PDB file of all heavy atoms in Angstrom:
ATOM      1  N   LEU D 119     140.329  70.333  28.630  1.00 97.00           N
ATOM      2  CA  LEU D 119     140.825  71.500  29.353  1.00 97.00           C
ATOM      3  C   LEU D 119     142.300  71.361  29.689  1.00 97.00           C
ATOM      4  O   LEU D 119     142.967  72.371  29.970  1.00 97.00           O
ATOM      5  CB  LEU D 119     140.058  71.673  30.657  1.00 97.00           C
ATOM      6  CG  LEU D 119     138.551  71.811  30.584  1.00 97.00           C
ATOM      7  CD1 LEU D 119     137.947  72.048  31.986  1.00 97.00           C
ATOM      8  CD2 LEU D 119     138.142  72.930  29.658  1.00 97.00           C
ATOM      9  N   ILE D 120     142.802  70.151  29.614  1.00 98.00           N
ATOM     10  CA  ILE D 120     144.205  69.857  29.979  1.00 98.00           C
ATOM     11  C   ILE D 120     145.066  69.652  28.802  1.00 98.00           C
ATOM     12  O   ILE D 120     146.140  70.237  28.636  1.00 98.00           O
ATOM     13  CB  ILE D 120     144.234  68.636  30.930  1.00 98.00           C
ATOM     14  CG1 ILE D 120     143.436  68.897  32.172  1.00 98.00           C
ATOM     15  CG2 ILE D 120     145.714  68.273  31.255  1.00 98.00           C
ATOM     16  CD1 ILE D 120     143.167  67.646  33.029  1.00 98.00           C
ATOM     17  N   ILE D 121     144.636  68.803  27.859  1.00 98.00           N
ATOM     18  CA  ILE D 121     145.461  68.431  26.698  1.00 98.00           C
ATOM     19  C   ILE D 121     145.576  69.565  25.677  1.00 98.00           C
ATOM     20  O   ILE D 121     146.576  69.668  24.983  1.00 98.00           O
ATOM     21  CB  ILE D 121     145.019  67.131  26.056  1.00 98.00           C
ATOM     22  CG1 ILE D 121     143.657  67.295  25.383  1.00 98.00           C
ATOM     23  CG2 ILE D 121     145.020  66.006  27.039  1.00 98.00           C
ATOM     24  CD1 ILE D 121     143.196  66.053  24.619  1.00 98.00           C
ATOM     25  N   GLY D 122     144.542  70.426  25.609  1.00 97.00           N
ATOM     26  CA  GLY D 122     144.619  71.599  24.714  1.00 97.00           C
ATOM     27  C   GLY D 122     145.795  72.479  25.046  1.00 97.00           C
ATOM     28  O   GLY D 122     146.671  72.760  24.213  1.00 97.00           O
ATOM     29  N   PRO D 123     145.877  72.937  26.308  1.00 98.00           N
ATOM     30  CA  PRO D 123     147.045  73.787  26.711  1.00 98.00           C
ATOM     31  C   PRO D 123     148.403  73.050  26.594  1.00 98.00           C
ATOM     32  O   PRO D 123     149.385  73.642  26.210  1.00 98.00           O
ATOM     33  CB  PRO D 123     146.698  74.104  28.161  1.00 98.00           C
ATOM     34  CG  PRO D 123     145.244  74.081  28.257  1.00 98.00           C
ATOM     35  CD  PRO D 123     144.825  72.936  27.347  1.00 98.00           C
ATOM     36  N   ILE D 124     148.415  71.752  26.913  1.00 98.00           N
ATOM     37  CA  ILE D 124     149.691  71.002  26.825  1.00 98.00           C
ATOM     38  C   ILE D 124     150.143  70.981  25.371  1.00 98.00           C
ATOM     39  O   ILE D 124     151.305  71.291  25.068  1.00 98.00           O
ATOM     40  CB  ILE D 124     149.525  69.563  27.352  1.00 98.00           C
ATOM     41  CG1 ILE D 124     149.316  69.563  28.860  1.00 98.00           C
ATOM     42  CG2 ILE D 124     150.741  68.721  26.999  1.00 98.00           C
ATOM     43  CD1 ILE D 124     148.997  68.175  29.460  1.00 98.00           C
ATOM     44  N   THR D 125     149.248  70.611  24.469  1.00 98.00           N
ATOM     45  CA  THR D 125     149.610  70.477  23.028  1.00 98.00           C
ATOM     46  C   THR D 125     149.988  71.851  22.450  1.00 98.00           C
ATOM     47  O   THR D 125     150.961  71.953  21.712  1.00 98.00           O
ATOM     48  CB  THR D 125     148.412  69.846  22.271  1.00 98.00           C
ATOM     49  OG1 THR D 125     148.057  68.597  22.887  1.00 98.00           O
ATOM     50  CG2 THR D 125     148.813  69.575  20.819  1.00 98.00           C
ATOM     51  N   ALA D 126     149.212  72.873  22.805  1.00 98.00           N
ATOM     52  CA  ALA D 126     149.516  74.229  22.316  1.00 98.00           C
ATOM     53  C   ALA D 126     150.859  74.714  22.818  1.00 98.00           C
ATOM     54  O   ALA D 126     151.614  75.368  22.084  1.00 98.00           O
ATOM     55  CB  ALA D 126     148.432  75.180  22.719  1.00 98.00           C
ATOM     56  N   ALA D 127     151.222  74.374  24.063  1.00 98.00           N
ATOM     57  CA  ALA D 127     152.522  74.772  24.634  1.00 98.00           C
ATOM     58  C   ALA D 127     153.682  74.139  23.903  1.00 98.00           C
ATOM     59  O   ALA D 127     154.815  74.618  23.945  1.00 98.00           O
ATOM     60  CB  ALA D 127     152.562  74.403  26.122  1.00 98.00           C
ATOM     61  N   CYS D 128     153.387  73.061  23.185  1.00 97.00           N
ATOM     62  CA  CYS D 128     154.416  72.341  22.378  1.00 97.00           C
ATOM     63  C   CYS D 128     154.417  72.758  20.927  1.00 97.00           C
ATOM     64  O   CYS D 128     155.109  72.138  20.075  1.00 97.00           O
ATOM     65  CB  CYS D 128     154.226  70.835  22.504  1.00 97.00           C
ATOM     66  SG  CYS D 128     154.371  70.148  24.188  1.00 97.00           S
ATOM     67  N   GLY D 129     153.668  73.807  20.568  1.00 96.00           N
ATOM     68  CA  GLY D 129     153.753  74.381  19.244  1.00 96.00           C
ATOM     69  C   GLY D 129     152.753  73.861  18.236  1.00 96.00           C
ATOM     70  O   GLY D 129     152.909  74.023  17.024  1.00 96.00           O
ATOM     71  N   VAL D 130     151.671  73.208  18.719  1.00 97.00           N
ATOM     72  CA  VAL D 130     150.621  72.715  17.820  1.00 97.00           C
ATOM     73  C   VAL D 130     149.301  73.398  18.182  1.00 97.00           C
ATOM     74  O   VAL D 130     148.903  73.410  19.348  1.00 97.00           O
ATOM     75  CB  VAL D 130     150.448  71.184  17.908  1.00 97.00           C
ATOM     76  CG1 VAL D 130     149.268  70.712  17.075  1.00 97.00           C
ATOM     77  CG2 VAL D 130     151.726  70.484  17.450  1.00 97.00           C
ATOM     78  N   ALA D 131     148.633  74.002  17.237  1.00 97.00           N
ATOM     79  CA  ALA D 131     147.382  74.755  17.508  1.00 97.00           C
ATOM     80  C   ALA D 131     146.234  73.801  17.707  1.00 97.00           C
ATOM     81  O   ALA D 131     146.053  72.813  16.963  1.00 97.00           O
ATOM     82  CB  ALA D 131     147.074  75.698  16.360  1.00 97.00           C
ATOM     83  N   VAL D 132     145.404  74.125  18.715  1.00 97.00           N
ATOM     84  CA  VAL D 132     144.249  73.269  19.035  1.00 97.00           C
ATOM     85  C   VAL D 132     142.960  74.147  19.048  1.00 97.00           C
ATOM     86  O   VAL D 132     142.556  74.669  20.050  1.00 97.00           O
ATOM     87  CB  VAL D 132     144.400  72.590  20.448  1.00 97.00           C
ATOM     88  CG1 VAL D 132     143.243  71.649  20.699  1.00 97.00           C
ATOM     89  CG2 VAL D 132     145.733  71.889  20.533  1.00 97.00           C
ATOM     90  N   PRO D 133     142.343  74.286  17.866  1.00 96.00           N
ATOM     91  CA  PRO D 133     141.025  74.955  17.785  1.00 96.00           C
ATOM     92  C   PRO D 133     139.931  73.926  17.986  1.00 96.00           C
ATOM     93  O   PRO D 133     139.945  72.841  17.379  1.00 96.00           O
ATOM     94  CB  PRO D 133     141.021  75.500  16.347  1.00 96.00           C
ATOM     95  CG  PRO D 133     141.923  74.614  15.579  1.00 96.00           C
ATOM     96  CD  PRO D 133     142.844  73.901  16.540  1.00 96.00           C
ATOM     97  N   LYS D 134     138.984  74.238  18.860  1.00 95.00           N
ATOM     98  CA  LYS D 134     138.015  73.210  19.221  1.00 95.00           C
ATOM     99  C   LYS D 134     136.634  73.818  19.451  1.00 95.00           C
ATOM    100  O   LYS D 134     136.511  74.880  20.089  1.00 95.00           O
ATOM    101  CB  LYS D 134     138.483  72.490  20.485  1.00 95.00           C
ATOM    102  CG  LYS D 134     137.626  71.323  20.881  1.00 95.00           C
ATOM    103  CD  LYS D 134     138.316  70.463  21.923  1.00 95.00           C
ATOM    104  CE  LYS D 134     137.412  69.328  22.412  1.00 95.00           C
ATOM    105  NZ  LYS D 134     136.887  68.494  21.339  1.00 95.00           N
ATOM    106  N   MET D 135     135.618  73.156  18.908  1.00 91.00           N
ATOM    107  CA  MET D 135     134.239  73.480  19.244  1.00 91.00           C
ATOM    108  C   MET D 135     133.669  72.347  20.035  1.00 91.00           C
ATOM    109  O   MET D 135     133.838  71.161  19.687  1.00 91.00           O
ATOM    110  CB  MET D 135     133.406  73.700  17.958  1.00 91.00           C
ATOM    111  CG  MET D 135     133.703  75.029  17.262  1.00 91.00           C
ATOM    112  SD  MET D 135     132.530  75.330  15.908  1.00 91.00           S
ATOM    113  CE  MET D 135     133.150  76.907  15.332  1.00 91.00           C
ATOM    114  N   SER D 136     132.969  72.629  21.133  1.00 88.00           N
ATOM    115  CA  SER D 136     132.435  71.609  22.018  1.00 88.00           C
ATOM    116  C   SER D 136     130.976  71.885  22.343  1.00 88.00           C
ATOM    117  O   SER D 136     130.468  72.952  22.047  1.00 88.00           O
ATOM    118  CB  SER D 136     133.260  71.546  23.322  1.00 88.00           C
ATOM    119  OG  SER D 136     134.573  71.097  23.071  1.00 88.00           O
ATOM    120  N   GLY D 137     130.358  70.908  22.982  1.00 80.00           N
ATOM    121  CA  GLY D 137     128.931  71.018  23.306  1.00 80.00           C
ATOM    122  C   GLY D 137     128.686  71.080  24.777  1.00 80.00           C
ATOM    123  O   GLY D 137     129.601  71.003  25.606  1.00 80.00           O
ATOM    124  N   ARG D 138     127.398  71.181  25.116  1.00 74.00           N
ATOM    125  CA  ARG D 138     126.940  71.181  26.486  1.00 74.00           C
ATOM    126  C   ARG D 138     126.617  69.750  26.906  1.00 74.00           C
ATOM    127  O   ARG D 138     126.392  68.883  26.064  1.00 74.00           O
ATOM    128  CB  ARG D 138     125.765  72.079  26.686  1.00 74.00           C
ATOM    129  CG  ARG D 138     126.057  73.517  26.261  1.00 74.00           C
ATOM    130  CD  ARG D 138     124.872  74.465  26.484  1.00 74.00           C
ATOM    131  NE  ARG D 138     125.151  75.776  25.867  1.00 74.00           N
ATOM    132  CZ  ARG D 138     125.928  76.708  26.393  1.00 74.00           C
ATOM    133  NH1 ARG D 138     126.445  76.476  27.607  1.00 74.00           N
ATOM    134  NH2 ARG D 138     126.133  77.813  25.781  1.00 74.00           N
ATOM    135  N   GLY D 139     126.556  69.518  28.196  1.00 66.00           N
ATOM    136  CA  GLY D 139     126.294  68.169  28.683  1.00 66.00           C
ATOM    137  C   GLY D 139     124.805  67.838  28.643  1.00 66.00           C
ATOM    138  O   GLY D 139     123.942  68.692  28.754  1.00 66.00           O
ATOM    139  N   LEU D 140     124.517  66.541  28.480  1.00 61.00           N
ATOM    140  CA  LEU D 140     123.158  66.073  28.531  1.00 61.00           C
ATOM    141  C   LEU D 140     123.204  64.655  29.159  1.00 61.00           C
ATOM    142  O   LEU D 140     123.960  63.825  28.714  1.00 61.00           O
ATOM    143  CB  LEU D 140     122.518  65.982  27.139  1.00 61.00           C
ATOM    144  CG  LEU D 140     121.024  65.656  27.067  1.00 61.00           C
ATOM    145  CD1 LEU D 140     120.190  66.715  27.769  1.00 61.00           C
ATOM    146  CD2 LEU D 140     120.559  65.509  25.632  1.00 61.00           C
ATOM    147  N   GLY D 141     122.400  64.449  30.214  1.00 60.00           N
ATOM    148  CA  GLY D 141     122.424  63.145  30.903  1.00 60.00           C
ATOM    149  C   GLY D 141     123.598  63.100  31.906  1.00 60.00           C
ATOM    150  O   GLY D 141     123.987  64.104  32.458  1.00 60.00           O
ATOM    151  N   HIS D 142     124.148  61.900  32.040  1.00 60.00           N
ATOM    152  CA  HIS D 142     125.155  61.710  33.111  1.00 60.00           C
ATOM    153  C   HIS D 142     126.571  62.141  32.709  1.00 60.00           C
ATOM    154  O   HIS D 142     127.448  62.142  33.576  1.00 60.00           O
ATOM    155  CB  HIS D 142     125.182  60.233  33.539  1.00 60.00           C
ATOM    156  CG  HIS D 142     125.801  59.312  32.512  1.00 60.00           C
ATOM    157  ND1 HIS D 142     125.115  58.852  31.428  1.00 60.00           N
ATOM    158  CD2 HIS D 142     127.048  58.788  32.449  1.00 60.00           C
ATOM    159  CE1 HIS D 142     125.886  58.084  30.727  1.00 60.00           C
ATOM    160  NE2 HIS D 142     127.071  57.999  31.302  1.00 60.00           N
ATOM    161  N   THR D 143     126.811  62.493  31.436  1.00 63.00           N
ATOM    162  CA  THR D 143     128.132  62.931  31.018  1.00 63.00           C
ATOM    163  C   THR D 143     128.154  64.477  30.925  1.00 63.00           C
ATOM    164  O   THR D 143     127.215  65.089  30.442  1.00 63.00           O
ATOM    165  CB  THR D 143     128.549  62.343  29.677  1.00 63.00           C
ATOM    166  OG1 THR D 143     127.607  62.728  28.661  1.00 63.00           O
ATOM    167  CG2 THR D 143     128.608  60.835  29.785  1.00 63.00           C
ATOM    168  N   GLY D 144     129.215  65.064  31.372  1.00 67.00           N
ATOM    169  CA  GLY D 144     129.341  66.531  31.388  1.00 67.00           C
ATOM    170  C   GLY D 144     129.751  67.070  30.041  1.00 67.00           C
ATOM    171  O   GLY D 144     130.291  66.379  29.183  1.00 67.00           O
ATOM    172  N   GLY D 145     129.521  68.372  29.851  1.00 84.00           N
ATOM    173  CA  GLY D 145     129.892  69.058  28.615  1.00 84.00           C
ATOM    174  C   GLY D 145     131.024  70.046  28.886  1.00 84.00           C
ATOM    175  O   GLY D 145     131.003  70.756  29.869  1.00 84.00           O
ATOM    176  N   THR D 146     131.976  70.087  27.933  1.00 91.00           N
ATOM    177  CA  THR D 146     133.113  71.005  28.091  1.00 91.00           C
ATOM    178  C   THR D 146     132.695  72.467  28.158  1.00 91.00           C
ATOM    179  O   THR D 146     133.249  73.236  28.941  1.00 91.00           O
ATOM    180  CB  THR D 146     134.097  70.790  26.891  1.00 91.00           C
ATOM    181  OG1 THR D 146     134.543  69.438  26.898  1.00 91.00           O
ATOM    182  CG2 THR D 146     135.315  71.689  27.048  1.00 91.00           C
ATOM    183  N   ILE D 147     131.688  72.836  27.398  1.00 92.00           N
ATOM    184  CA  ILE D 147     131.224  74.254  27.454  1.00 92.00           C
ATOM    185  C   ILE D 147     130.653  74.601  28.827  1.00 92.00           C
ATOM    186  O   ILE D 147     130.901  75.685  29.336  1.00 92.00           O
ATOM    187  CB  ILE D 147     130.164  74.483  26.326  1.00 92.00           C
ATOM    188  CG1 ILE D 147     130.833  74.378  24.961  1.00 92.00           C
ATOM    189  CG2 ILE D 147     129.516  75.852  26.510  1.00 92.00           C
ATOM    190  CD1 ILE D 147     131.964  75.377  24.724  1.00 92.00           C
ATOM    191  N   ASP D 148     129.928  73.691  29.461  1.00 92.00           N
ATOM    192  CA  ASP D 148     129.416  73.928  30.818  1.00 92.00           C
ATOM    193  C   ASP D 148     130.577  74.132  31.792  1.00 92.00           C
ATOM    194  O   ASP D 148     130.512  74.992  32.685  1.00 92.00           O
ATOM    195  CB  ASP D 148     128.553  72.796  31.276  1.00 92.00           C
ATOM    196  CG  ASP D 148     127.295  72.633  30.450  1.00 92.00           C
ATOM    197  OD1 ASP D 148     126.678  73.658  30.119  1.00 92.00           O
ATOM    198  OD2 ASP D 148     126.925  71.462  30.101  1.00 92.00           O
ATOM    199  N   LYS D 149     131.630  73.354  31.647  1.00 94.00           N
ATOM    200  CA  LYS D 149     132.760  73.461  32.538  1.00 94.00           C
ATOM    201  C   LYS D 149     133.413  74.833  32.392  1.00 94.00           C
ATOM    202  O   LYS D 149     133.697  75.527  33.340  1.00 94.00           O
ATOM    203  CB  LYS D 149     133.807  72.359  32.243  1.00 94.00           C
ATOM    204  CG  LYS D 149     133.242  70.953  32.370  1.00 94.00           C
ATOM    205  CD  LYS D 149     134.349  69.909  32.119  1.00 94.00           C
ATOM    206  CE  LYS D 149     133.814  68.598  31.572  1.00 94.00           C
ATOM    207  NZ  LYS D 149     132.841  67.936  32.375  1.00 94.00           N
ATOM    208  N   LEU D 150     133.619  75.247  31.105  1.00 96.00           N
ATOM    209  CA  LEU D 150     134.252  76.562  30.893  1.00 96.00           C
ATOM    210  C   LEU D 150     133.376  77.710  31.385  1.00 96.00           C
ATOM    211  O   LEU D 150     133.877  78.733  31.885  1.00 96.00           O
ATOM    212  CB  LEU D 150     134.543  76.739  29.395  1.00 96.00           C
ATOM    213  CG  LEU D 150     135.693  75.861  28.864  1.00 96.00           C
ATOM    214  CD1 LEU D 150     135.709  75.860  27.337  1.00 96.00           C
ATOM    215  CD2 LEU D 150     137.042  76.321  29.414  1.00 96.00           C
ATOM    216  N   GLU D 151     132.051  77.557  31.237  1.00 94.00           N
ATOM    217  CA  GLU D 151     131.145  78.644  31.671  1.00 94.00           C
ATOM    218  C   GLU D 151     131.009  78.712  33.164  1.00 94.00           C
ATOM    219  O   GLU D 151     130.415  79.683  33.695  1.00 94.00           O
ATOM    220  CB  GLU D 151     129.783  78.461  31.018  1.00 94.00           C
ATOM    221  CG  GLU D 151     129.808  78.812  29.527  1.00 94.00           C
ATOM    222  CD  GLU D 151     128.454  78.669  28.860  1.00 94.00           C
ATOM    223  OE1 GLU D 151     127.519  78.089  29.488  1.00 94.00           O
ATOM    224  OE2 GLU D 151     128.288  79.147  27.695  1.00 94.00           O
ATOM    225  N   SER D 152     131.634  77.770  33.919  1.00 95.00           N
ATOM    226  CA  SER D 152     131.662  77.900  35.369  1.00 95.00           C
ATOM    227  C   SER D 152     132.784  78.865  35.815  1.00 95.00           C
ATOM    228  O   SER D 152     132.868  79.244  36.954  1.00 95.00           O
ATOM    229  CB  SER D 152     131.907  76.547  36.038  1.00 95.00           C
ATOM    230  OG  SER D 152     133.176  76.032  35.778  1.00 95.00           O
ATOM    231  N   ILE D 153     133.620  79.291  34.847  1.00 97.00           N
ATOM    232  CA  ILE D 153     134.638  80.302  35.119  1.00 97.00           C
ATOM    233  C   ILE D 153     133.980  81.664  34.941  1.00 97.00           C
ATOM    234  O   ILE D 153     133.396  81.954  33.892  1.00 97.00           O
ATOM    235  CB  ILE D 153     135.803  80.178  34.133  1.00 97.00           C
ATOM    236  CG1 ILE D 153     136.443  78.794  34.228  1.00 97.00           C
ATOM    237  CG2 ILE D 153     136.846  81.261  34.379  1.00 97.00           C
ATOM    238  CD1 ILE D 153     137.451  78.498  33.123  1.00 97.00           C
ATOM    239  N   ASN D 154     134.054  82.508  35.960  1.00 96.00           N
ATOM    240  CA  ASN D 154     133.426  83.833  35.929  1.00 96.00           C
ATOM    241  C   ASN D 154     133.873  84.602  34.672  1.00 96.00           C
ATOM    242  O   ASN D 154     135.087  84.820  34.471  1.00 96.00           O
ATOM    243  CB  ASN D 154     133.748  84.638  37.171  1.00 96.00           C
ATOM    244  CG  ASN D 154     133.036  84.100  38.407  1.00 96.00           C
ATOM    245  OD1 ASN D 154     131.937  83.565  38.302  1.00 96.00           O
ATOM    246  ND2 ASN D 154     133.668  84.229  39.567  1.00 96.00           N
ATOM    247  N   GLY D 155     132.896  85.039  33.851  1.00 97.00           N
ATOM    248  CA  GLY D 155     133.198  85.895  32.728  1.00 97.00           C
ATOM    249  C   GLY D 155     133.555  85.188  31.455  1.00 97.00           C
ATOM    250  O   GLY D 155     133.607  85.829  30.378  1.00 97.00           O
ATOM    251  N   TYR D 156     133.815  83.905  31.476  1.00 97.00           N
ATOM    252  CA  TYR D 156     134.310  83.183  30.299  1.00 97.00           C
ATOM    253  C   TYR D 156     133.214  83.156  29.214  1.00 97.00           C
ATOM    254  O   TYR D 156     132.075  82.720  29.467  1.00 97.00           O
ATOM    255  CB  TYR D 156     134.702  81.756  30.649  1.00 97.00           C
ATOM    256  CG  TYR D 156     135.501  81.062  29.564  1.00 97.00           C
ATOM    257  CD1 TYR D 156     136.876  80.946  29.644  1.00 97.00           C
ATOM    258  CD2 TYR D 156     134.853  80.498  28.452  1.00 97.00           C
ATOM    259  CE1 TYR D 156     137.580  80.314  28.642  1.00 97.00           C
ATOM    260  CE2 TYR D 156     135.553  79.868  27.451  1.00 97.00           C
ATOM    261  CZ  TYR D 156     136.919  79.780  27.546  1.00 97.00           C
ATOM    262  OH  TYR D 156     137.656  79.135  26.562  1.00 97.00           O
ATOM    263  N   ARG D 157     133.545  83.618  28.021  1.00 96.00           N
ATOM    264  CA  ARG D 157     132.623  83.643  26.892  1.00 96.00           C
ATOM    265  C   ARG D 157     132.893  82.443  25.972  1.00 96.00           C
ATOM    266  O   ARG D 157     133.993  82.248  25.510  1.00 96.00           O
ATOM    267  CB  ARG D 157     132.800  84.920  26.116  1.00 96.00           C
ATOM    268  CG  ARG D 157     132.484  86.200  26.856  1.00 96.00           C
ATOM    269  CD  ARG D 157     132.833  87.455  26.060  1.00 96.00           C
ATOM    270  NE  ARG D 157     134.266  87.485  25.764  1.00 96.00           N
ATOM    271  CZ  ARG D 157     134.801  87.797  24.549  1.00 96.00           C
ATOM    272  NH1 ARG D 157     134.007  88.092  23.548  1.00 96.00           N
ATOM    273  NH2 ARG D 157     136.104  87.810  24.364  1.00 96.00           N
ATOM    274  N   THR D 158     131.853  81.658  25.751  1.00 95.00           N
ATOM    275  CA  THR D 158     131.996  80.490  24.847  1.00 95.00           C
ATOM    276  C   THR D 158     131.459  80.762  23.468  1.00 95.00           C
ATOM    277  O   THR D 158     131.730  79.980  22.549  1.00 95.00           O
ATOM    278  CB  THR D 158     131.304  79.260  25.452  1.00 95.00           C
ATOM    279  OG1 THR D 158     129.897  79.568  25.633  1.00 95.00           O
ATOM    280  CG2 THR D 158     131.899  78.901  26.820  1.00 95.00           C
ATOM    281  N   GLU D 159     130.680  81.807  23.298  1.00 94.00           N
ATOM    282  CA  GLU D 159     130.121  82.133  21.982  1.00 94.00           C
ATOM    283  C   GLU D 159     130.877  83.337  21.424  1.00 94.00           C
ATOM    284  O   GLU D 159     130.673  84.465  21.866  1.00 94.00           O
ATOM    285  CB  GLU D 159     128.610  82.403  22.086  1.00 94.00           C
ATOM    286  CG  GLU D 159     127.820  81.200  22.505  1.00 94.00           C
ATOM    287  CD  GLU D 159     126.316  81.456  22.488  1.00 94.00           C
ATOM    288  OE1 GLU D 159     125.902  82.519  21.975  1.00 94.00           O
ATOM    289  OE2 GLU D 159     125.574  80.584  22.993  1.00 94.00           O
ATOM    290  N   LEU D 160     131.778  83.045  20.495  1.00 94.00           N
ATOM    291  CA  LEU D 160     132.621  84.100  19.931  1.00 94.00           C
ATOM    292  C   LEU D 160     132.479  84.115  18.390  1.00 94.00           C
ATOM    293  O   LEU D 160     132.276  83.072  17.773  1.00 94.00           O
ATOM    294  CB  LEU D 160     134.114  83.852  20.254  1.00 94.00           C
ATOM    295  CG  LEU D 160     134.565  83.809  21.707  1.00 94.00           C
ATOM    296  CD1 LEU D 160     136.068  83.546  21.797  1.00 94.00           C
ATOM    297  CD2 LEU D 160     134.208  85.128  22.416  1.00 94.00           C
ATOM    298  N   PRO D 161     132.658  85.295  17.813  1.00 93.00           N
ATOM    299  CA  PRO D 161     132.717  85.327  16.314  1.00 93.00           C
ATOM    300  C   PRO D 161     133.927  84.535  15.855  1.00 93.00           C
ATOM    301  O   PRO D 161     134.939  84.424  16.572  1.00 93.00           O
ATOM    302  CB  PRO D 161     132.890  86.822  16.019  1.00 93.00           C
ATOM    303  CG  PRO D 161     132.489  87.560  17.277  1.00 93.00           C
ATOM    304  CD  PRO D 161     132.757  86.610  18.409  1.00 93.00           C
ATOM    305  N   PHE D 162     133.817  83.974  14.683  1.00 93.00           N
ATOM    306  CA  PHE D 162     134.899  83.098  14.187  1.00 93.00           C
ATOM    307  C   PHE D 162     136.211  83.845  14.109  1.00 93.00           C
ATOM    308  O   PHE D 162     137.287  83.271  14.422  1.00 93.00           O
ATOM    309  CB  PHE D 162     134.513  82.551  12.820  1.00 93.00           C
ATOM    310  CG  PHE D 162     135.548  81.604  12.222  1.00 93.00           C
ATOM    311  CD1 PHE D 162     135.741  80.385  12.787  1.00 93.00           C
ATOM    312  CD2 PHE D 162     136.296  82.008  11.143  1.00 93.00           C
ATOM    313  CE1 PHE D 162     136.749  79.501  12.256  1.00 93.00           C
ATOM    314  CE2 PHE D 162     137.261  81.159  10.602  1.00 93.00           C
ATOM    315  CZ  PHE D 162     137.473  79.930  11.172  1.00 93.00           C
ATOM    316  N   ASP D 163     136.209  85.114  13.728  1.00 94.00           N
ATOM    317  CA  ASP D 163     137.438  85.900  13.619  1.00 94.00           C
ATOM    318  C   ASP D 163     138.137  86.034  14.953  1.00 94.00           C
ATOM    319  O   ASP D 163     139.366  85.932  15.064  1.00 94.00           O
ATOM    320  CB  ASP D 163     137.147  87.287  13.042  1.00 94.00           C
ATOM    321  CG  ASP D 163     136.802  87.249  11.555  1.00 94.00           C
ATOM    322  OD1 ASP D 163     137.004  86.191  10.949  1.00 94.00           O
ATOM    323  OD2 ASP D 163     136.307  88.279  11.057  1.00 94.00           O
ATOM    324  N   GLU D 164     137.352  86.239  16.023  1.00 96.00           N
ATOM    325  CA  GLU D 164     137.956  86.343  17.358  1.00 96.00           C
ATOM    326  C   GLU D 164     138.500  85.000  17.797  1.00 96.00           C
ATOM    327  O   GLU D 164     139.561  84.948  18.451  1.00 96.00           O
ATOM    328  CB  GLU D 164     136.927  86.873  18.349  1.00 96.00           C
ATOM    329  CG  GLU D 164     137.508  87.182  19.739  1.00 96.00           C
ATOM    330  CD  GLU D 164     136.496  87.818  20.691  1.00 96.00           C
ATOM    331  OE1 GLU D 164     135.359  88.114  20.279  1.00 96.00           O
ATOM    332  OE2 GLU D 164     136.864  88.035  21.859  1.00 96.00           O
TER     333      GLU D 164
END
């Protein structure tokens, strides 16, 4: 959630697919879905 925006701000594109958490480690998709309205399932074109 931090290095993607930093790297993109420096002119390098960061496309990423992530998973949900299982067990004691968290998942990036779960973190993003805690933001009201954030959609994690998008068509590839979007």
Side-chain angles (χ1 to χ4, degrees):
L119 304 182
I120 300 166
I121 66 176
I124 291 174
T125 305
C128 297
V130 174
V132 185
K134 185 167 176 55
M135 287 189 180
S136 293
R138 302 181 189 280
L140 188 62
H142 72 279
T143 60
T146 300
I147 293 300
D148 296 318
K149 303 183 207 304
L150 289 168
E151 288 182 346
S152 69
I153 301 170
N154 288 330
Y156 192 101
R157 297 172 299 135
T158 60
E159 295 186 9
L160 298 180
F162 181 69
D163 288 348
E164 187 175 356

